[in-house]
Amino acid sequence: MAIEGRGDSALGKIKYGMVGGGEGAFIGAVHRLAARMDDHYELVAGALSSSPEKAIRSAKALGIAADRSYGDYEAMASAEKARKDGIEAVAIVTPNHVHVPAARAFLKAGIHVICDKPLSTNLKDALALQKLVQSSGLVFCLTHNYTGYPMVRHARQMVQDGDLGEIRVVQAEYPQDWLTNPIEKTGQKQAAWRTDPKQSGGGAIGDIGTHAHNLAAFVSGLELDSVLSDVDTFVKGRKVDDNVNVLLRYKGGAKGMLWASQVAVGNENNVKVRVYGTKGGLEWHQEHPNHLHWFPFGQAPQLITRGSPSANASAGRVTRVPPGHPEGYLEGFANIYTEAAHAIRAARSKKKPDKAVIFPTINDGVKGMAFIEAVLKSSAKGGKWVKLGA
């Protein structure tokens, strides 16, 4: 892997804590694996569950000392701030409604934040948190992990280099099928909180639609201006959306489409992004992450593979293994954590990280919430064009 500073003990590991992510939590385990992969972090504290018993069991299983297992994030932020060996960063991996209050507590304690997406449950709270992050000078990383994939980095660099010419069309989609039936009524943990509007703030549009929106923006480099949407709830009795179709208008004149669905039978995590310009087009499928399809206008299509001589430097610096060996979801997450580690270490010396270091920030989180709000507003108006932030 080419990310500089990997495992450099002279720089010192980043001691971090975790809010949420106790036993039975899928995304918490993913974050811990990502933090461990490049050996930049050490987990030393946690408020791992709202259940005291589960929090204690989870901390013990993870090797966290009893005196650093906390009952809630406020107690954790306060106690860790007071310790000489307190945490330098925190990972927030809770349901969405806890993201903002937990992040606020740690930012006020002077602790860097790595937060799962989406940023919040509404744009107002996101904007307030953005102001706090900006005034604090602390690192805030939002884990839109697909931006960590090598071939996504390659695609972004091609767009920036002008290989595609002027961008005309952007298409992004994220279909799943796991909520085709009302499994939230069976007590399935992930389905239960994700379909509860009080905890999630929304359904497919917030859970996976924000991934598609962020991926399209990351690769194309375009700023979304307005949306026209059709938001549906197909499963009877469900309180949040489970299928969303959106038309996109970008600043500068490019157009696009976005589809997010959790009732698309036959799809697992079928994330795709397509970008078309005056000189060529690109297509990337998350379920085949090591391949990028490049269509130079008037020439034969090309398949660019991760780790091959055809991959550019942006892809190379986040590539770990030789071509032909799959890299994907966990490595993408790990790349985001490693990029955040570079930023945190730079902050120790009150410096900015190298320009090559890229990760989603609080600003990306705010854009994601503006997107969600505009999509829901457009649909509520019967499918009218709505400007972001309007």
Side-chain angles (χ1 to χ4, degrees), residues 4-190:
E4 60 272 46
R6 181 185 181 197
D8 188 343
S9 59
L11 296 174
K13 289 187 180 181
I14 297 166
K15 290 183 172 60
Y16 84 106
M18 180 168 281
V19 177
E23 61 182 27
F26 161 71
I27 204 65
V30 170
H31 278 253
R32 289 190 292 272
L33 286 168
R36 289 170 57 189
M37 193 170 290
D38 292 326
D39 210 24
H40 289 300
Y41 297 85
E42 180 184 0
L43 180 63
V44 297
L48 301 172
S49 175
S50 57
S51 164
E53 296 79 10
K54 186 181 289 187
I56 292 171
R57 288 197 305 269
S58 300
K60 185 176 181 180
L62 293 171
I64 295 174
D67 66 335
R68 299 186 82 170
S69 174
Y70 302 95
D72 59 74
Y73 61 80
E74 290 180 335
M76 178 176 164
S78 178
E80 290 297 320
K81 178 183 179 181
R83 295 179 67 111
K84 290 183 178 180
D85 62 348
I87 59 173
E88 195 172 359
V90 66
I92 300 172
V93 295
T94 63
N96 305 341
H97 70 295
V98 182
H99 290 179
V100 167
R104 185 187 303 119
F106 286 96
L107 289 168
K108 289 184 176 180
I111 295 167
H112 303 292
V113 173
I114 301 171
C115 183
D116 203 53
K117 45 56 58 188
L119 178 60
S120 63
T121 57
N122 62 76
L123 180 58
K124 182 180 178 181
D125 286 349
L127 289 168
L129 189 65
Q130 182 184 45
K131 289 183 178 179
L132 179 58
V133 172
Q134 291 171 342
S135 64
S136 72
L138 294 165
V139 173
F140 188 100
C141 172
L142 192 71
T143 54
H144 276 296
N145 61 299
Y146 300 114
T147 65
Y149 283 56
M151 300 320 295
V152 170
R153 297 289 181 96
H154 183 108
R156 172 187 170 94
Q157 189 62 55
M158 288 186 71
V159 172
Q160 290 181 341
D161 289 345
D163 293 345
L164 278 71
E166 181 182 350
I167 303 303
R168 291 172 168 171
V169 178
V170 180
Q171 296 181 323
E173 60 185 65
Y174 196 156
Q176 301 173 326
D177 67 1
W178 74 293
L179 292 178
T180 295
N181 294 319
I183 61 172
E184 60 267 32
K185 295 181 180 180
T186 69
Q188 209 271 13
K189 182 179 178 180
Q190 292 297 319

Side-chain angles (χ1 to χ4, degrees), residues 81-358:
K81 178 183 179 181
R83 295 179 67 111
K84 290 183 178 180
D85 62 348
I87 59 173
E88 195 172 359
V90 66
I92 300 172
V93 295
T94 63
N96 305 341
H97 70 295
V98 182
H99 290 179
V100 167
R104 185 187 303 119
F106 286 96
L107 289 168
K108 289 184 176 180
I111 295 167
H112 303 292
V113 173
I114 301 171
C115 183
D116 203 53
K117 45 56 58 188
L119 178 60
S120 63
T121 57
N122 62 76
L123 180 58
K124 182 180 178 181
D125 286 349
L127 289 168
L129 189 65
Q130 182 184 45
K131 289 183 178 179
L132 179 58
V133 172
Q134 291 171 342
S135 64
S136 72
L138 294 165
V139 173
F140 188 100
C141 172
L142 192 71
T143 54
H144 276 296
N145 61 299
Y146 300 114
T147 65
Y149 283 56
M151 300 320 295
V152 170
R153 297 289 181 96
H154 183 108
R156 172 187 170 94
Q157 189 62 55
M158 288 186 71
V159 172
Q160 290 181 341
D161 289 345
D163 293 345
L164 278 71
E166 181 182 350
I167 303 303
R168 291 172 168 171
V169 178
V170 180
Q171 296 181 323
E173 60 185 65
Y174 196 156
Q176 301 173 326
D177 67 1
W178 74 293
L179 292 178
T180 295
N181 294 319
I183 61 172
E184 60 267 32
K185 295 181 180 180
T186 69
Q188 209 271 13
K189 182 179 178 180
Q190 292 297 319
W193 80 257
R194 291 178 192 277
T195 57
D196 178 359
K198 292 182 179 179
Q199 296 187 71
S200 67
I205 189 59
D207 191 17
I208 56 178
T210 48
H211 269 312
H213 162 261
N214 177 262
L215 183 60
F218 183 79
V219 174
S220 72
L222 299 177
E223 189 84 19
L224 191 58
D225 177 76
S226 53
V227 300
L228 186 154
S229 63
D230 186 20
V231 177
D232 293 296
T233 303
F234 281 111
V235 175
K236 187 177 181 179
R238 182 165 286 161
K239 297 179 181 179
V240 296
D241 59 274
D242 51 27
N243 189 83
V244 181
N245 291 284
V246 190
L247 292 178
L248 312 171
R249 286 178 177 169
Y250 288 95
K251 294 178 181 178
K255 301 295 179 65
M257 293 185 291
L258 185 148
W259 173 44
S261 179
Q262 292 175 316
V263 295
V265 175
N267 288 277
E268 295 174 339
N269 282 281
N270 199 12
V271 189
K272 298 177 183 177
V273 63
R274 307 177 186 91
V275 182
Y276 303 100
T278 55
K279 296 181 180 180
L282 292 171
E283 184 170 329
W284 180 78
H285 298 188
Q286 192 273 151
E287 293 185 350
H288 304 280
N290 295 297
H291 295 164
L292 177 68
H293 297 272
W294 163 230
F295 310 103
F297 184 65
Q299 302 177 43
Q302 299 176 25
L303 179 65
I304 302 170
T305 57
R306 183 204 52 77
S308 71
S310 59
N312 61 28
S314 292
R317 70 177 294 275
V318 291
T319 292
R320 291 177 166 74
V321 297
H325 298 285
E327 278 191 40
Y329 184 74
L330 291 176
E331 291 87 352
F333 247 109
N335 287 339
I336 299 300
Y337 261 83
T338 294
E339 299 281 56
H342 293 320
I344 291 169
R345 289 201 173 106
R348 289 174 177 173
S349 304
K350 297 183 179 180
K351 297 179 180 179
K352 291 184 178 181
D354 187 275
K355 290 182 179 180
V357 173
I358 306 171

